[in-house]
Amino acid sequence: MAIKSTIFKANLQIADIDHGYYADHALTLARHPSETDERMMVRLLALALNAYQLQTVCNGDGTLAFGAGLSNPDEPDVWLRDYTGQTRIWIEVGQPEEKPLVRACSKAQVVLVYAFSHAAEVWWRGIETKLSRLERLQVWRVPAEAAQALASLAERSMQLQATIQEGVLMLGNGRLNVDIEPQRWK
């Protein structure tokens, strides 16, 4: 018998001062049995960092949501679709291979990768030249220590506040706060 995903609920209040975006998001995250709390929370971080694009890219008329991720390799971890159903932003978390990123670049206007963990530098050194030709691709590095600290915020029911100012995301639940400053690699 297959193990089912674990469902997490998050009420995420976003105050993106850098982009003038302020909104509350009621989110459902399905954590795949092979996914860690750290990876799941990096997906949430990626959504928070890009939520402002609902306004800037879709003029408020789009959907920002979690994809099937690990359950379906043909779907992103997070995506932004406009009202026509076109995928505007495709977000991957971790260290994906080249071929899925090439496919993603053919399906979306922008593809973002948020690499984390201590192995991210090794992955990037091995794949950087292969990805340099993908104009629609951006690669971001989430510091490993910050990604690990995010895991401590994971609860089945979460009340989270995200403040983004000067490129730093401050994510907290009232008891614990984690500051994350992603670094752009590409």
Side-chain angles (χ1 to χ4, degrees):
M1 181 175 217
I3 300 173
K4 295 184 179 192
S5 293
T6 304
I7 303 300
F8 290 75
K9 299 282 187 177
N11 287 317
L12 179 64
Q13 298 173 335
I14 300 174
D16 188 336
I17 297 163
D18 290 348
H19 300 99
Y21 178 81
Y22 305 91
D24 294 342
H25 294 266
L27 305 167
T28 300
L29 294 99
R31 190 186 71 204
H32 189 272
S34 67
E35 185 175 34
T36 63
D37 284 345
E38 178 182 8
R39 185 180 190 284
M40 178 186 72
M41 294 304 288
V42 172
R43 286 192 294 135
L44 187 96
L45 167 140
L47 185 139
L49 287 170
N50 291 283
Y52 76 94
Q53 298 201 60
L54 275 165
Q55 290 298 325
T56 60
V57 173
C58 295
N59 296 318
D61 200 3
T63 304
L64 180 66
F66 295 106
L70 292 175
S71 298
N72 183 349
D74 293 329
E75 280 195 27
D77 290 312
V78 180
W79 48 258
L80 173 63
R81 290 194 176 130
D82 64 19
Y83 71 96
T84 68
Q86 180 181 4
T87 302
R88 298 295 201 95
I89 300 173
W90 181 295
I91 300 174
E92 291 290 336
V93 169
Q95 292 103 38
E97 295 179 6
E98 174 192 11
K99 286 183 183 179
L101 291 175
V102 170
R103 277 194 308 271
C105 286
S106 69
K107 295 178 181 180
Q109 291 178 343
V110 176
V111 175
L112 305 170
V113 174
Y114 287 90
F116 66 98
S117 88
H118 294 289
E121 283 80 10
V122 174
W123 166 80
W124 181 239
R125 282 194 301 271
I127 202 166
E128 180 180 10
T129 56
K130 296 175 187 175
L131 300 181
S132 63
R133 64 179 166 46
L134 299 177
E135 293 179 12
R136 296 180 179 191
L137 179 68
Q138 294 180 22
V139 179
W140 294 84
R141 168 69 164 123
V142 176
E145 299 78 24
Q148 290 168 350
L150 284 175
S152 60
L153 292 172
E155 297 175 351
R156 294 290 297 271
S157 179
M158 299 178 267
Q159 299 290 328
L160 300 170
Q161 300 79 38
T163 303
I164 302 160
Q165 187 172 13
E166 296 179 11
V168 177
L169 169 68
M170 293 156 276
L171 187 65
N173 62 9
R175 297 180 313 278
L176 176 66
N177 288 303
V178 180
D179 292 352
I180 304 110
E181 185 172 3
Q183 173 191 3
R184 186 166 177 180
W185 278 347
K186 179 187 179 321

